[in-house]
Amino acid sequence: MTTAPPPRTPRTPRTADTNATTTAAGFSTTGPTDAAAPGEVTDTTAATRAAVEAFLTRLQEGSPDRVAELFAERVDWMIAENPAVPWLRPRSTRADVAAHFRELGEGQRPDPSGTSVDAIVVAGPEAMLSGWLAGTVLATGKSFRSPFAMRLTVEHGLIVRYHVVEDSLAIAAACTAD
């Protein structure tokens, strides 16, 4: 006589922690915040999360040199180039990172009420952030609002990959005089 095997216990899916939190930089985050299942946060994941928190804090402080300190000497940098947007061009070094954030700060005034980080997902050395960017281009007085997604890779406590996808058309339109 054959018997049926015992029922399988369903595995708990690996899901992101969806608790709402506030980052050290004061950004309100909702949605996925860690890709490891409860109790599975690795030292690498914790180190990556700490680097992301430091990055957001320093961005909010507005010091390009302090932001750049969080990047490796060589950086895999990707933001789509656009000749209408003066701060968007290829970068590859820590000094380039400082220059980018300096030029960004000189070229636009951020709108804190329209800027948010809505999700942060961290797994090992990788972090994904998504949210909204908003500001006013100083040269034209035009405002922009853009969704964004950002991928950061952290090695030895430093950001080695910085990839950003944003609505470059909206930002270019704000940079273009009528």
Side-chain angles (χ1 to χ4, degrees), residues 93-121:
T93 67
R94 182 181 293 150
D96 290 341
V97 171
H100 168 78
F101 287 106
R102 189 172 298 106
E103 293 163 15
L104 177 64
E106 293 167 351
Q108 60 94 37
R109 182 180 63 250
D111 174 6
S113 67
T115 301
S116 65
V117 175
D118 300 326
I120 301 173
V121 180

Side-chain angles (χ1 to χ4, degrees), residues 144-158:
F144 64 88
R145 184 159 158 59
S146 168
F148 79 89
M150 179 184 299
R151 179 182 181 189
L152 303 176
T153 303
V154 176
E155 293 178 359
H156 308 292
L158 296 173

Side-chain angles (χ1 to χ4, degrees), residues 41-53 122 124-125 154 156-158:
V41 175
T42 66
D43 289 342
T44 303
T45 297
T48 301
R49 179 170 298 286
V52 169
E53 293 289 337
V122 178
V154 176
H156 308 292
L158 296 173

Side-chain angles (χ1 to χ4, degrees), residues 7 14 19 25 29 61 63 75 84 90 112 136 154-155:
R14 291 177 56 95
N19 295 329
T29 63
E61 291 170 356
S63 172
V75 180
T136 301
V154 176
E155 293 178 359

Side-chain angles (χ1 to χ4, degrees), residues 11-35:
R11 293 182 59 202
T12 303
R14 291 177 56 95
T15 60
D17 172 3
T18 57
N19 295 329
T21 61
T22 301
T23 68
F27 292 104
S28 174
T29 63
T30 57
T33 57
D34 203 310

